[in-house]
Amino acid sequence: MDSRTVIVGGSVGGIRVAQALRSQGYTGEVTVIDAETYHPYDKPPLSKSFLDGTLSYDRLYLISEEEVRDSAIDLRLGDRVVGLDITGSSVILESGPAITFENLVVATGLRARPSPWEATDGVHLLRTLDNAQLLKEDLLGAGSVVVVGGGFIGAEVAATARSFGLEVAIVDPLKIPIGRVLGDTVGERFTGLHHSNGVSTHFGTGVERITGAKGNLSVELSSGAVLLGDLVVVGIGAVPNTEWLVSSGLLIDNGLICDEYCRAAGQSNIYGVGDVARWYHPGYQALVRVEHWTNAVEQAACVAHNIINPKESDSYSPVSYVWSDQYDWKIQIAGETAAASDCVLVEDPSNHARFAAVYSNRSGSYCGVATVNWPRAMIQCRRLLDKESDISIPLNLITALLPSV
Amino acid sequence: MPIIKADLDLCQGYANCVMEDARFFDISDDGVVVVLQEEFAKEDRTRVEAAVRSCPVSALRIEE
């Protein structure tokens, strides 16, 4: 049999595996299958520059049509993989045929967690291009929106809706939603950012009911308050798309369980990549699943390497990195900020919309960094995170960037 | 000879390219990419391609 790698899922993880295979010299067939009919597109802009109209769909392509052709990537869109036969080394398509593989890459990502509330008309989720398109159209005709979920997606949608001039309220059960990721001191600044942009926050309270229809929705909070909105956006997380693997024999538990080489547990030729993969991170000595764009790209390169060089496989031990754009803040986060025990803030006196937060763990070692509007400080600190260092080292680097007094 | 090109208007300073290979890329005080050397050797091609693909806003490309 000719060698063939089948990649299930055409979002960033899947497409980057296909590209990395070619870039690293793979000569077998490369087939990418995705249930969506759109040319593979990038998702981060859907809550930001696509939603606000800055970027059109054709600017979201993850790979050009020309590169698909030149790299001989067999792209099969609009077909869903419904099953996996491990013994027969094949995947089964909804349209009927089975495709055999020498290597399989599971890149099916996540889907938005559905709204558990009653109302549906005017209630939006945001994960896919179709979601974003519908939301965009509705935002343009609306006067107010209630955003349920104060994480990054919720905050980005709130910021975009505000830029359209809508009245915006945002709800989250946590008192300081971003505090979960960045600690309460920094998290409170994010809450303040909503306020200074005229968004009302209802944090520390859950949603009991959502009733009504587009143009006239009521969001009843556990605090007893009722928020009215023309639209509701529900951003309460996402769940792995692993149903097609349930009867395959692969180990599924909040994602596809993989070893440190990103191979599905107990398998030699099946890999997981991106949001759906829950792999053993050698650095943390734990199974982790990371829902970040950069992780998908880095993991894709590792998976491609391991497909081509199974005898010289690399383990995958990345330093986490994520960004978010909210109002006029360009936010970048690297390393382990959520589990940190201490945080030191560095402000730039010449620019009040710019700061850095440097995190240390229980033993006082540097473990993560977050910056606002400060890419240079971020990269200097991010580069240090692959080894152990004292927190004074990143702090000195950032201080050196400040204008001299 | 292929060279690295950066679109400074697109660049948002995410710096994934710097993480891929700091011999070729850096970030300026203004928060945008600096291409440290446009030309690259044949054996560096895979790494430069990886850096190009790591850019979240497609601000990098290889001009053949």
Side-chain angles (χ1 to χ4, degrees), chain A residues 277-281 284 286-290 318:
Chain A
R278 187 159 166 241
W279 88 101
Y280 181 80
H281 190 303
Y284 307 150
L287 287 169
V288 298
R289 198 170 63 69
V290 177

Side-chain angles (χ1 to χ4, degrees), chain A residues 152 181-182 190 284 290 292 294-295 298 318-324 330-340 342 356-360 365-372 374-375 377-386 394, chain B residues 13-16 19:
Chain A
F152 284 160
V181 185
L182 295 180
F190 280 73
Y284 307 150
V290 177
H292 301 153
T294 300
N295 177 64
E298 293 176 352
V319 171
S320 147
Y321 171 72
V322 63
W323 74 89
S324 176
K330 187 187 290 184
I331 300 141
Q332 297 174 291
I333 302 165
E336 288 312 292
T337 55
D342 198 17
V358 183
Y359 295 80
S360 55
S365 291
Y366 167 52
C367 64
V369 58
T371 61
V372 168
W374 211 347
M378 169 50 67
I379 187 57
Q380 297 224 342
C381 296
R382 184 179 166 196
R383 289 171 71 176
L384 299 173
L385 280 166
D386 60 353
Chain B
Y14 295 125
N16 283 350
M19 296 300 288

Side-chain angles (χ1 to χ4, degrees), chain A residues 16 23 294 332 376 382, chain B residues 13-14 16 27 29 49 53:
Chain A
R16 289 292 183 268
S23 181
T294 300
Q332 297 174 291
R376 180 131 175 90
R382 184 179 166 196
Chain B
Y14 295 125
N16 283 350
I27 295 291
D29 287 334
E49 285 180 353
R53 285 196 308 272

Side-chain angles (χ1 to χ4, degrees), chain A residues 16 19-20 23-24 42 59 61 67 293-294 297-298 301 321 323 325 330 332 354 375-376 379 382-383 401, chain B residues 10-16 18-20 22 26-31 45-46 49-50 53-56 58:
Chain A
R16 289 292 183 268
Q19 292 174 301
S23 181
Q24 295 177 29
D42 202 21
R59 295 279 306 281
Y61 285 9
E67 188 182 340
W293 191 95
T294 300
V297 173
E298 293 176 352
Y321 171 72
W323 74 89
D325 299 312
K330 187 187 290 184
Q332 297 174 291
R354 165 183 274 189
R376 180 131 175 90
I379 187 57
R382 184 179 166 196
R383 289 171 71 176
L401 295 176
Chain B
L10 287 180
C11 178
Q12 297 292 314
Y14 295 125
N16 283 350
V18 185
M19 296 300 288
E20 285 288 342
D26 197 4
I27 295 291
S28 73
D29 287 334
D30 299 330
R45 183 165 191 112
T46 304
E49 285 180 353
R53 285 196 308 272
S54 77
C55 179
S58 307

Side-chain angles (χ1 to χ4, degrees), chain A residues 176-261:
Chain A
I176 308 170
I178 301 296
R180 192 175 56 83
V181 185
L182 295 180
D184 286 353
T185 311
V186 177
E188 275 172 353
R189 291 186 172 221
F190 280 73
T191 302
L193 180 67
H194 286 304
H195 297 160
S196 61
N197 283 280
V199 168
S200 70
T201 59
H202 304 266
F203 291 160
T205 178
V207 170
E208 292 292 322
R209 278 160 39 96
I210 303 176
T211 53
K214 182 161 45 174
N216 184 24
L217 286 155
S218 296
V219 180
E220 294 174 30
L221 306 184
S222 35
S223 64
V226 177
L227 305 174
L228 302 176
D230 293 336
L231 303 174
V232 171
V233 180
V234 176
I236 53 172
V239 289
N241 289 320
T242 48
E243 286 73 11
W244 64 286
L245 295 170
V246 163
S247 59
S248 67
L250 294 183
L251 193 54
I252 306 295
D253 178 11
N254 178 29
L256 173 67
I257 303 296
C258 298
D259 65 14
E260 63 189 292
Y261 306 105

